[in-house]
Amino acid sequence: MSKAVQLSYNQAGYLRHGPKFAALARETSGQLPWTLSEAATGVVQIQGITLPAYRDPLTGALLHCADFSSFKTAGVYIIQIDEIPSEPFRIGDNLYGTLTRDALHFFYLMRSGIALTEQYAGKAWARPAGHLSDKDIRAFAGTDTQGTKWDGCSFSIDGSGGWYDAGDYGKYVVNGGISVWTLQNAFERMPDSFSDGDLAIPEQQNGIPDILDETRWELEFLLRMQIPSGQPLGGMAFHKLHDRVWSGVPAELPTYMDNNNEMKVGASWGRYVYEPTTAATLNLAACAAQAGRIWKTFDKAFAERCITAAEQAWEAARTNPIILAGNVPGAGGGNYDDVNVEDDFYWAACELYASTDKPEYEAFIRNSPYFKTFQGLNGHGAAYSMNWADTAALGSITLVTVKTALSEKDINEIKDLIVKTADRYAVIQRNDAYATPIDASGFVWGSNSMVLNNAIILALAHDITGDRSYLSAVSRAMDYLLGYNSLRKSFVSGYGIDTLEHPHHRFWANDPVKGLPPPPPGVICGGPNAQIQDPVAEALGLIHRPIPMRYVDEIGSFATNEVAINWNAPLVWVASFLHRAFQR
C-alpha cells in the first residue's frame, strides 16, 4: 500500500455535517484549484479554489487549504489540490463508533495478570498471563541511584491485575488515576453511548456496560495498592509497581518463576512496589470516590467498598500531605514525580463531595486556590488543560457534571471558566494552519493527549453553550490526529493510509519473525515532542526540525512513539463524543 501521502487531510474520513478541510504545503503564491471526486468513478462532485495561502507559524509551511465543508453526501471520495490527489477516504455519519470501540479495547489488550485469549484478543494479540508474581510482592528495600536508602515494608501485598501503563510492563497509580477517571467520566456524561456487549472482553453480557467492566479491572488494582489499616502509613497508596531494571525492547512477556526460584522464559525478575506517595493516594481517593457513585446501580457492595477506600485514602493523605515521589530506584520504570499535590487534593475533594455530599469536602473545595479560577483549568499557565500531573480540571468538570448541593451561581461560574478556557484553545487552533488546539508549549512528551484533553474542554463548552463552533473545533482536533498535520501522518493505528505501525511497545513490536504483532487498531502514540528525550530522536536530528515535526514512527523513539493508557483514554472520550454529537 502506497504511503506517499502528499496532502494533509483526515485519512479516516469526515463527518457529513462536520468541517472538512484538506491542505497542500507548497511555496507558491495565489490560490489553487481543487476538486472532490467519487473514488470509484472519478466523477467530480464539487470544486473550488483554495483559501488564501497561510504561513503556519510553527512549521513555516505555506498552506493552501481546500474547504469542502458544504458537501454532505455520504460516500468514498478523493480530494485533489492542484492535481495532487489524496487516497480515498469516507464521508459519513458513523466514522467514530468503531474507533471508540477499538480505542477502548486497547485497555483489555494492556491487562496484566490474565491470559488474553484468541476469542477476545484476536489471534495476533493473544498471549499468556503476564506477571503472575505480582500477586505476592514486596516494597523495594535498598539504595536508589541518588543514594537514598529505603527500608521497604514488613509485609507483602497483592499487586496483581491492572493495566500495563505504556510500552513497558510498569503499573502506576498516578497514571492509572487519570485514565480511569477519563473513562468513567465518559460513561457518566454519556451513559447511553456505552452498553454491555460493546467489547470483546470476558465480562461481556453480564448486565454491566463493558466500559465499566474494563475500568474495574484497573480499579481493583488501585484498591490493592492501598496499604492496609494497622500498618505504618495505613490508607496511603504505593506509587508504582515495576521491575528493578528496564526490560529489553522488544521483550517477551514475563510470566512466572519456577519452584526453584529460577527464571523461566519471559519470567519477572526483581519486581517491586515503590514507596507510597500523597499523589498516588489522592488519585486512589478521587477515582474510587467517582466509582462509588457510578457503581451504585450495578454493584452496591463494590460501590460501598470504593467509597470506604476513598475516604480512608483522603484521611491518610491529609495526615501525610507532602510525601512526594522520588527517583526510586532510578531505573526500570518512570518516576511520575509530582512536586505539587494541591491540585490532587482539590480533585479528590470534588469527587468525594460529588459522591457523599459531606460538608467537610465542600469546605475544602471552597478554600482551594483551584476553585473557580483559570488556574484550575489551565495547569500552570501552559496551553493544556489536564494531564497526570495537573488534575484540578478533573475536579471542576465533575462539579458541573454531577448534581451536588453547590448553588446554581457556583456551577455557572465554573461553566463560564470552562467556556473561557475553551475559547483560549479555540483561538490557538484558529491561528494554527493545521488546526491544532495547542501552541508550542503543548508539544511535550505525549502531545497528542494534550490535543485530546483540550478537545474535551472544547466539547464541554459545546454542551454548555450549544455553540456548534466548539463542536467543529473538536472535529478539527481529531482531523489533526488522523492526518491533517504537517507530517501527513495518522497517529492512530489502523486509521488511515499512513498510520502508526512501530510503536515503542515490548509486545506490539511489529516483528513477525519473532512472533510479535503490530499494534492493534485504535492505538494513539505520544506524537511530536519539542524536547529530544530519546537516543533515536537525537540520532535522527529531530532537534533541527520544526517543533510539530519532531516525531518518528520507530520502536526506539519512546519520547515520541510510545503508547500509554492516559493517552488512549481521552481518545475514547473524544471519539465517543463525536460519534454521539454528529448522529442525525
Side-chain angles (χ1 to χ4, degrees):
M1 184 178 291
S2 171
K3 290 190 178 180
V5 180
Q6 299 181 70
L7 300 184
S8 298
Y9 65 102
N10 185 329
Q11 297 172 20
Y14 296 87
L15 293 157
R16 279 201 312 128
H17 297 281
K20 305 173 190 70
F21 290 85
L24 174 66
R26 176 179 288 178
E27 289 295 324
T28 184
S29 60
Q31 294 167 279
L32 304 176
W34 62 264
T35 59
L36 182 74
S37 307
E38 283 187 340
T41 65
V43 175
V44 174
Q45 300 297 300
I46 187 174
Q47 57 189 328
I49 58 172
T50 56
L51 302 173
Y54 180 76
R55 179 78 63 184
D56 180 55
L58 292 183
T59 64
L62 188 65
L63 239 61
H64 301 266
C65 299
D67 180 357
F68 53 107
S69 303
S70 62
F71 187 78
K72 295 179 171 62
T73 304
V76 180
Y77 301 94
I78 290 173
I79 184 78
Q80 184 168 291
I81 301 177
D82 199 28
E83 300 184 356
I84 302 296
S86 70
E87 294 287 338
F89 59 84
R90 288 177 57 208
I91 294 177
D93 290 322
N94 187 18
L95 286 180
Y96 293 119
T98 301
L99 176 55
T100 299
R101 292 190 295 273
D102 284 343
L104 188 52
H105 195 239
F106 159 93
F107 292 91
Y108 169 70
L109 298 176
M110 293 287 279
R111 286 189 188 186
S112 173
I114 185 175
L116 305 188
T117 66
E118 187 173 331
Q119 176 184 359
Y120 301 115
K123 185 175 182 179
W125 300 286
R127 57 167 172 77
H131 294 96
L132 297 178
S133 60
D134 287 353
K135 192 170 181 62
D136 184 15
I137 194 165
R138 289 186 174 272
F140 172 74
T143 302
D144 65 24
T145 57
Q146 295 175 318
T148 302
K149 184 178 180 181
W150 299 93
D151 295 330
C153 299
S154 60
F155 59 92
S156 63
I157 69 162
D158 178 359
S160 62
W163 300 319
Y164 294 120
D165 177 69
D168 62 287
Y169 295 133
K171 300 187 289 190
Y172 305 83
V173 172
V174 290
N175 219 33
I178 191 173
S179 305
V180 166
W181 182 92
T182 303
L183 295 178
Q184 289 188 150
N185 180 261
F187 173 80
E188 191 165 33
R189 293 192 61 262
M190 301 174 281
D192 57 335
S193 296
F194 304 95
S195 61
D196 186 22
D198 284 343
L199 302 176
I201 59 175
E203 299 86 357
Q204 65 180 192
Q205 306 303 328
N206 63 354
I208 296 170
D210 290 345
I211 190 172
L212 296 185
D213 285 323
E214 194 55 63
T215 57
R216 182 167 180 168
W217 186 264
E218 177 73 359
L219 274 165
E220 294 280 7
F221 163 72
L222 298 180
L223 292 168
R224 286 192 285 268
M225 291 287 278
Q226 188 171 34
I227 296 175
S229 299
Q231 297 289 350
L233 298 178
M236 295 287 283
F238 287 108
H239 196 71
K240 55 183 182 173
L241 188 164
H242 58 70
D243 291 341
R244 180 67 179 81
V245 296
W246 289 106
S247 59
V249 182
E252 297 221 20
L253 189 69
T255 53
Y256 63 95
M257 311 221 11
D258 69 12
N259 292 332
N260 295 320
N261 202 36
E262 293 178 356
M263 286 190 296
K264 304 302 289 185
V265 174
S268 178
W269 184 253
R271 196 163 168 88
Y272 303 94
V273 291
Y274 296 91
E275 83 278 13
T277 64
T278 306
T281 304
L282 291 168
N283 271 258
L284 170 60
C287 292
Q290 181 192 35
R293 63 177 180 265
I294 292 173
W295 277 88
K296 281 192 297 186
T297 58
F298 299 106
D299 186 333
K300 186 177 179 181
F302 180 63
E304 291 174 351
R305 177 182 159 210
C306 286
I307 293 294
T308 298
E311 296 206 287
Q312 289 174 344
W314 173 261
E315 291 301 324
R318 293 278 278 163
T319 304
N320 304 280
I322 54 171
I323 300 180
L324 306 178
N327 187 27
V328 184
N335 290 338
Y336 283 100
D337 47 333
D338 188 355
V339 296
N340 172 40
V341 294
E342 281 193 60
D343 54 328
D344 302 294
F345 271 110
Y346 172 74
W347 171 36
C350 290
E351 299 300 339
L352 282 159
Y353 179 56
S355 295
T356 69
D357 281 327
K358 290 184 178 180
E360 63 191 89
Y361 301 123
E362 180 182 0
F364 188 93
I365 291 166
R366 291 189 179 280
N367 288 324
S368 170
Y370 292 98
F371 184 54
K372 296 192 292 189
T373 66
F374 262 105
Q375 187 180 14
L377 273 169
N378 193 33
H380 302 296
Y384 53 84
S385 48
M386 57 264 195
N387 60 30
W388 64 266
D390 290 297
T391 57
L394 310 182
S396 294
I397 292 169
T398 289
L399 293 180
V400 300
T401 300
V402 182
K403 184 174 177 56
T404 68
L406 283 182
S407 69
E408 185 176 349
K409 179 178 180 294
D410 286 331
I411 294 171
N412 286 338
E413 288 180 8
I414 299 172
K415 287 181 177 179
D416 288 344
L417 167 66
I418 292 172
V419 173
K420 288 177 181 178
T421 306
D423 288 341
R424 292 187 64 252
Y425 303 148
V427 169
I428 292 170
Q429 187 181 52
R430 285 195 297 271
N431 290 333
D432 185 90
Y434 293 100
T436 318
I438 56 172
D439 62 17
S441 68
F443 283 96
V444 295
W445 196 325
S447 64
N448 286 339
S449 71
M450 304 302 181
V451 171
L452 287 163
N453 284 327
N454 285 5
I456 289 175
I457 302 302
L458 291 162
L460 293 169
H462 168 262
D463 285 352
I464 291 167
T465 66
D467 187 337
R468 288 186 66 85
S469 68
Y470 297 114
L471 187 58
S472 294
V474 178
S475 183
R476 296 217 65 194
M478 189 67 90
D479 289 344
Y480 163 81
L481 297 170
L482 293 170
Y484 188 84
N485 52 61
S486 57
L487 293 161
R488 302 180 294 278
K489 177 87 174 181
S490 170
F491 297 117
V492 180
S493 58
Y495 284 80
I497 186 68
D498 186 2
T499 73
L500 169 68
E501 289 188 346
H502 302 283
H504 181 80
H505 196 279
R506 264 66 174 176
F507 184 62
W508 304 336
N510 204 355
D511 189 341
V513 174
K514 295 183 178 179
L516 298 171
V523 179
I524 192 165
C525 63
N529 183 356
Q531 301 181 64
I532 304 305
Q533 294 174 288
D534 65 62
V536 171
E538 183 177 1
L540 291 174
L542 296 192
I543 192 65
H544 302 297
R545 299 183 188 178
I547 287 174
M549 302 180 75
R550 294 178 188 175
Y551 164 84
V552 61
D553 187 12
E554 289 196 17
I555 190 171
S557 185
F558 48 81
T560 75
N561 211 38
E562 194 167 18
V563 302
I565 56 176
N566 64 313
W567 303 341
N568 248 69
L571 179 61
V572 173
W573 200 109
V574 174
S576 61
F577 170 83
L578 287 172
H579 178 64
R580 184 190 65 164
F582 280 97
Q583 289 298 301
R584 293 295 180 103

